[in-house]
Amino acid sequence: ALASAELQNIVKTAVADAGGQLTSTQGLPGKETDGFFRVAVKVRMTGSMEALVGVLQSIETAVPVLIVDQLDINPVRGARNRKTNKVEPSDQLNVSFQVVSFLRSPNP
C-alpha cells in the first residue's frame, strides 16, 4: 500500500509538472512473481500532446524504474462554434495508462 501511494505521488507530480490535469489515479492489486512484487497504478489524465510527452519522459527517467503499460490516447472533441456551427478543433487529449514498478520480495 505504501509503494502504491508513493507511485501515485510520483505520477501526480509528473502530470502537474508537465502541465496536464490528473483526472484520477487508482492503485491496482499487487502481484508477486519470480521473487518480485508488482506494484501498479491506473492513471487518467487530460492535456496537450506536449504535456503527454513531458509525463512520459518524466516516467521514463524516474528512479526506480517505472514502466508505462496499456497506454490509451483519445482526442477531446472540440466545442461547436455557435456562429459558424462548425466544430472547433481541440488540442487536448484524454489519456489513460498504467504505471508499473517492481519491488524485490523479502526473502523467506
Side-chain angles (χ1 to χ4, degrees):
L2 187 58
S4 179
E6 180 63 26
L7 194 53
Q8 288 181 32
N9 196 27
I10 290 169
V11 170
K12 179 180 176 182
T13 302
V15 171
D17 289 350
Q21 296 80 38
L22 189 62
T23 306
S24 69
T25 59
Q26 176 185 8
L28 300 174
K31 189 186 333 179
E32 189 168 348
T33 308
D34 297 329
F36 290 94
F37 191 74
R38 181 182 190 269
V39 180
V41 172
K42 186 174 185 176
V43 180
R44 295 189 65 189
M45 64 166 279
T46 58
S48 65
M49 182 64 79
E50 291 78 17
L52 175 58
V53 168
V55 169
L56 294 176
Q57 285 178 337
S58 180
I59 290 170
E60 177 185 8
T61 59
V63 175
V65 173
L66 303 178
I67 300 166
V68 174
D69 195 15
Q70 299 182 11
L71 178 63
D72 185 30
I73 305 169
N74 294 300
V76 172
R77 185 169 186 257
R80 186 170 298 278
N81 185 322
R82 293 178 188 260
K83 293 179 183 176
T84 63
N85 205 27
K86 291 185 180 179
V87 175
E88 299 287 333
S90 171
D91 70 342
Q92 295 294 297
L93 302 169
N94 281 325
V95 184
S96 63
F97 56 93
Q98 291 183 13
V99 177
V100 181
S101 188
F102 294 90
L103 299 172
R104 188 167 298 176
S105 295
N107 293 334

